[in-house]
Amino acid sequence: MIRWFKDVWLDSEFNRKRKFLQRVSLFHGISRREFGHLFQALVVRSYAPGEMLFHEGDVGRALFILESGRVEISRKTPDGGTLQMAILNPGDYFGEMSLLDELPRTASAAAMEPVRVHLLYKTELEKLVKQVPHIGAAIMTHLGMLLAARLRALADSSPVLLASTIKIKEVV
């Protein structure tokens, strides 16, 4: 128990990660002591400049949390070109729809400079929901709020199909 306390609470890397992740809006509502569970669910990965994090059309299985570097999000245009959708900075996260479904990605993501990200795979979020429900609920609540805000913005700019009879794949 004392070793665990030292490893988790006194580890400078743990504290650095915790401070970074506490600033990420996706994790608001998660207590300091719960971050140990969250860290076990995250996978750290680095990318070189120009390297693709994922391609439009890939099946999404993880959300990316950008710790350092910049990432370009782009989509293909009908004429074969590329449309830049966004430039993401540290603290931003992307690929969140993959936590809710396993459909193809709607855009591509490329490292613009050396990039370090934390990945949260859908399978790990499902484990958190079952094992530490408060963490899973906090993340899912934030995702719901984010997607609702996007839908409202879209509805304000153009007519939107609002039927509630659309078939949704059952989540197990």
Side-chain angles (χ1 to χ4, degrees):
M1 180 69 170
I2 292 174
R3 180 181 171 90
W4 179 85
F5 180 80
K6 283 183 179 180
D7 289 346
V8 173
W9 295 107
L10 300 179
D11 181 2
S12 62
E13 178 67 8
F14 177 90
N15 286 324
R16 186 190 64 73
K17 278 198 231 178
R18 180 184 48 79
K19 286 178 183 175
F20 165 70
L21 292 173
Q22 281 180 316
R23 292 190 311 265
V24 175
S25 61
L26 181 64
F27 302 126
H28 289 178
I30 297 174
S31 72
R32 178 184 171 119
R33 71 175 215 275
E34 292 172 322
F35 269 89
H37 296 286
L38 182 59
F39 289 168
Q40 291 176 1
L42 298 173
V43 175
V44 177
R45 176 120 192 251
S46 296
Y47 294 87
E51 191 173 356
M52 298 301 292
L53 284 72
F54 55 79
H55 293 88
E56 183 176 346
D58 288 352
V59 174
R61 292 186 175 89
L63 166 133
F64 292 70
I65 304 149
L66 185 56
E67 181 179 354
S68 63
R70 292 184 314 142
V71 171
E72 176 186 46
I73 304 295
S74 62
R75 291 188 75 172
K76 295 175 189 168
T77 60
D79 64 358
T82 302
L83 174 65
Q84 184 183 74
M85 305 288 294
I87 302 291
L88 303 177
N89 296 297
D92 290 333
Y93 60 89
F94 52 100
E96 63 281 347
M97 289 190 305
S98 67
L99 295 180
L100 304 173
D101 61 29
E102 291 182 13
L103 296 175
R105 300 239 185 227
T106 59
S108 296
M112 299 177 72
E113 54 195 46
V115 163
R116 180 178 163 103
V117 293
H118 299 266
L119 287 88
L120 176 60
Y121 285 93
K122 182 178 181 182
T123 54
E124 291 301 315
L125 177 59
E126 290 168 353
K127 287 179 193 175
L128 284 172
V129 167
K130 290 177 184 171
Q131 296 170 357
V132 192
H134 182 260
I135 294 174
I139 292 170
M140 296 303 281
T141 297
H142 185 80
L143 288 177
M145 290 172 27
L146 173 69
L147 295 174
R150 288 181 183 166
L151 181 59
R152 286 184 195 281
L154 181 63
D156 289 345
S157 65
S158 64
V160 175
L161 174 65
L162 297 176
S164 61
T165 56
I166 298 170
K167 288 209 177 227
I168 299 174
K169 185 174 92 172
E170 185 176 326
V171 178
V172 178

